[in-house]
């Protein structure tokens, strides 16, 4: 423990004073938040009981030396990084006397890259992808193309290069800033991790952790991969996505609505752990006003109310999750079954585990039996409740996550 330099104990049920050691003395509130009753000299936590007078002076010196000074230096460094990013993001790249400072490396034009681990640099990405050669291309989306890059350190990352960005009204630029804003505010095991980004008037990209299995859409379309994606893995993937949405809707302030929950935006790692990706259309909800915006998302997953209202709320994601979960169970998009069979299944109640559901499950896998079949029935019931036409009739993702946890 003495050798630790950083620690993240957020979202636990820990109580008591923080240990008097480097990792905790230099910690921020973000890595300590959502615990039962921690105390210590970190902004956002309550102070612990005062020490005896005999040790007061020594304690004060330690606080100044190990907490106040590092926090002050950290705040100053963060302010400098933010200033560099703002300058390069909003000004034309005309400076020729480019140089290297810290984690920002400038080649022929002024740009910036914010690296969370100190290793992601512009030149490494360009070299690893051979200037974004097509042989490294692994996917193309509405706002950009995704490349696989192996860095000199041996680390493999995914690089999303945005399509040409010209002005502030360009939807690709809005997608770029949306994704940075969302992913720098959140941290969850089922949300893809953003390592860094580069912003430039002619070349902008984001650097993520690489997901070995690729998108859920790709897996379900490939018979061999779909068979390897067995019922246990599918159940866990549904739970993973539910947990991520629950976190975004209920643990983030302000809440974050993804707005494009679809199989192409769910990535799986080598162990089939699912992560939500592509926050280009995500919206941070303003609790003090209505959240009206233009349509965003993928047809077939979008909630029906978006056909006549553009108000964004968490229930939009709940509906999309319902479609996505059925897609995982069926092995393909549920299509017209969303409308024609949902109410029928709900009415059938306890007989849901007979032929109607079993005939809809992915036939490439062996039919589930006994306890496994009961799990799928429970998941199907929860999923169907997410597809109610009325947003008010749908459960919250917190309720969905709790129901799935008991499966």
């Amino acid at each position: 423990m003495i050798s630790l330099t950083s620690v993240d104990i957020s979202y636990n049920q820990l109580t008591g004073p923080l240990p008097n050691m480097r990792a905790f003395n230099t910690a921020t509130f973000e890595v300590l938040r959502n615990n039962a009753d921690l105390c210590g000299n970190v902004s956002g936590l309550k102070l612990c009981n005062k020490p005896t007078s005999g040790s007061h002076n020594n304690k004060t010196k330690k606080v100044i030396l190990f907490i106040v000074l590092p926090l002050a230096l950290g705040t100053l460094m963060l302010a400098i990084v933010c200033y560099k990013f703002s300058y390069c993001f909003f000004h034309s790249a005309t400076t020729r006397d480019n140089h290297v400072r810290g984690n920002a490396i400038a080649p022929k034009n002024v740009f910036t890259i914010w690296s969370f681990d100190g290793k992601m640099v512009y030149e490494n990405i360009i070299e690893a992808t051979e200037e974004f050669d097509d042989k490294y291309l692994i996917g193309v989306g509405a706002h950009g193309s995704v490349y696989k890059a192996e860095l000199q350190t041996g680390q493999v990352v995914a690089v999303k290069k945005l399509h040409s960005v010209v002005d502030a009204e360009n939807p690709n630029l809005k997608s770029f800033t949306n994704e940075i804003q969302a992913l720098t505010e959140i941290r969850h095991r089922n949300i893809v991790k953003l390592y860094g980004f580069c912003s430039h008037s002619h070349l902008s990209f984001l650097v993520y952790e690489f997901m070995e299995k690729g998108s859920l859409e790709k897996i379900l379309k490939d018979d061999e991969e779909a068979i390897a994606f067995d019922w246990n893995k599918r159940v866990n993937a549904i739970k993973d996505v539910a947990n991520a949405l629950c976190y975004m809707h209920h643990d983030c302030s302000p809440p974050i609505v993804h707005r494009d929950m679809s199989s192409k935006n769910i990535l799986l790692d080598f162990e089939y752990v699912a992560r939500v990706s592509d926050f280009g259309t995500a919206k941070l909800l303003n609790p003090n006003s209505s959240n009206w915006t233009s349509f965003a998302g993928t047809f077939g997953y979008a909630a029906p109310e978006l056909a006549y209202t553009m108000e964004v709320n968490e229930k939009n994601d709940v509906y999309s999750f319902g479609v996505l979960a059925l897609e995982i169970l069926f092995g393909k998009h549920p299509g017209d079954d969303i409308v024609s069979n949902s109410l029928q299944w709900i009415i059938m109640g306890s007989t849901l585990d007979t032929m109607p559901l079993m005939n809809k499950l992915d036939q490439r896998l062996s039919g589930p039996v006994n306890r496994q079949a009961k799990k799928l029935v429970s998941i199907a019931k929860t999923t169907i409740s997410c597809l109610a036409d009325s947003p008010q009739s749908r459960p919250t993702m917190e309720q969905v996550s709790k129901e799935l946890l008991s499966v």
Side-chain angles (χ1 to χ4, degrees):
M1 293 286 285
I2 295 175
S3 301
L4 283 179
T5 58
S6 64
V7 64
D8 187 344
I9 57 171
S10 58
Y11 298 96
N12 285 282
Q13 296 297 319
L14 303 178
T15 63
L18 296 179
N20 184 18
M21 52 178 290
R22 179 182 176 187
F24 290 93
N25 291 339
T26 59
T28 64
F29 179 68
E30 293 302 314
V31 302
L32 306 172
R33 67 187 305 172
N34 284 55
N35 275 285
D37 192 24
L38 289 178
C39 67
N41 293 301
V42 174
S43 178
L45 294 183
K46 68 178 183 180
L47 294 175
C48 301
N49 293 332
K50 292 183 178 180
T52 60
S53 57
S55 61
H56 178 74
N57 291 336
N58 289 337
K59 189 67 176 179
T60 301
K61 290 179 181 179
K62 290 181 179 179
V63 168
I64 295 175
L65 181 60
F66 292 110
I67 298 180
V68 177
L69 183 58
L71 286 176
L73 292 175
T75 302
L76 178 61
M77 292 178 66
L78 180 60
I80 293 173
V81 172
C82 290
Y83 170 78
K84 285 191 174 187
F85 170 72
S86 299
Y87 180 85
C88 296
F89 192 84
F90 294 106
H91 290 74
S92 297
T94 56
T95 306
R96 292 183 179 276
D97 56 337
N98 302 300
H99 53 280
V100 177
R101 289 187 180 180
N103 291 333
I105 299 181
K108 297 181 179 179
N109 293 297
V110 174
F111 70 97
T112 183
I113 182 165
W114 191 335
S115 171
F116 294 113
D117 65 1
K119 298 175 183 176
M120 300 299 154
V121 293
Y122 178 89
E123 287 149 341
N124 288 159
I125 299 299
I126 298 300
E127 180 181 353
T129 60
E130 297 181 30
E131 299 186 2
F132 298 102
D133 189 282
D134 284 348
K135 67 183 179 182
Y136 297 100
L137 185 67
I138 57 176
V140 179
H143 301 292
S145 301
V146 182
Y147 298 82
K148 179 180 178 181
E150 182 173 355
L151 306 180
Q152 293 177 347
T153 60
Q155 184 178 12
V156 179
V157 297
V159 183
K160 179 180 178 181
K161 182 174 78 73
L162 270 70
H163 301 317
S164 180
V165 175
V166 178
D167 54 63
E169 297 302 316
N170 189 299
N172 293 330
L173 178 58
K174 291 181 179 180
S175 168
F176 181 74
T177 55
N178 276 350
E179 195 141 9
I180 294 172
Q181 184 180 17
L183 289 177
T184 53
E185 294 293 328
I186 57 182
R187 179 185 298 172
H188 191 275
R189 74 182 296 268
N190 298 123
I191 296 176
V192 68
K193 182 178 180 181
L194 175 68
Y195 287 134
F197 60 86
C198 167
S199 172
H200 186 272
S201 59
H202 299 295
L203 174 62
S204 296
F205 59 77
L206 301 105
V207 184
Y208 305 95
E209 60 179 327
F210 180 72
M211 298 287 101
E212 294 86 354
K213 293 297 180 181
S215 72
L216 177 62
E217 179 184 51
K218 179 180 73 72
I219 289 175
L220 293 179
K221 286 183 177 179
D222 185 288
D223 289 345
E224 185 177 344
E225 292 190 26
I227 293 173
F229 190 37
D230 60 32
W231 291 124
N232 288 334
K233 294 183 177 71
R234 296 191 189 203
V235 168
N236 290 334
I238 292 173
K239 292 181 179 181
D240 289 342
V241 176
N243 291 338
L245 288 174
C246 178
Y247 167 78
M248 290 162 55
H249 292 179
H250 302 283
D251 292 326
C252 293
S253 182
I256 299 174
V257 177
H258 187 278
R259 296 209 296 161
D260 194 12
M261 291 299 302
S262 62
S263 57
K264 70 178 185 292
N265 291 331
I266 304 300
L267 305 179
L268 293 97
D269 66 13
F270 188 75
E271 297 179 339
Y272 291 92
V273 175
R275 287 174 175 77
V276 177
S277 70
D278 199 341
F279 284 73
T281 59
K283 185 171 179 62
L284 280 67
L285 297 185
N286 184 347
N288 299 318
S289 67
S290 298
N291 293 276
W292 298 89
T293 185
S294 58
F295 176 82
T298 302
F299 290 107
Y301 297 87
E305 65 269 16
L306 293 177
Y308 53 84
T309 177
M310 290 294 112
E311 184 174 10
V312 177
N313 57 58
E314 296 94 327
K315 294 301 180 72
N316 304 151
D317 279 352
V318 175
Y319 183 91
S320 299
F321 168 79
V323 179
L324 176 67
L326 285 185
E327 183 175 0
I328 294 174
L329 294 178
F330 295 176
K332 61 181 180 180
H333 190 281
D336 293 338
D337 288 321
I338 297 173
V339 178
S340 62
N341 289 339
S342 290
L343 292 178
Q344 178 185 350
W345 286 350
I346 292 173
I347 293 172
M348 291 175 67
S350 61
T351 62
L352 185 64
D353 58 339
T354 58
M355 294 305 294
L357 175 62
M358 293 301 150
N359 289 339
K360 291 292 183 181
L361 295 179
D362 193 339
Q363 300 300 304
R364 293 172 293 186
L365 299 183
S366 300
V369 295
N370 301 329
R371 189 167 179 269
Q372 193 174 66
K374 291 181 179 180
K375 281 187 178 183
L376 298 186
V377 170
S378 297
I379 292 174
K381 288 181 178 180
T382 301
T383 295
I384 290 168
S385 69
C386 298
L387 300 175
D389 288 336
S390 170
Q392 292 75 23
S393 300
R394 298 170 201 154
T396 65
M397 285 310 304
E398 185 173 36
Q399 292 171 326
V400 171
S401 183
K402 287 181 179 179
E403 288 181 16
L404 294 179
L405 185 63
S406 62
V407 173

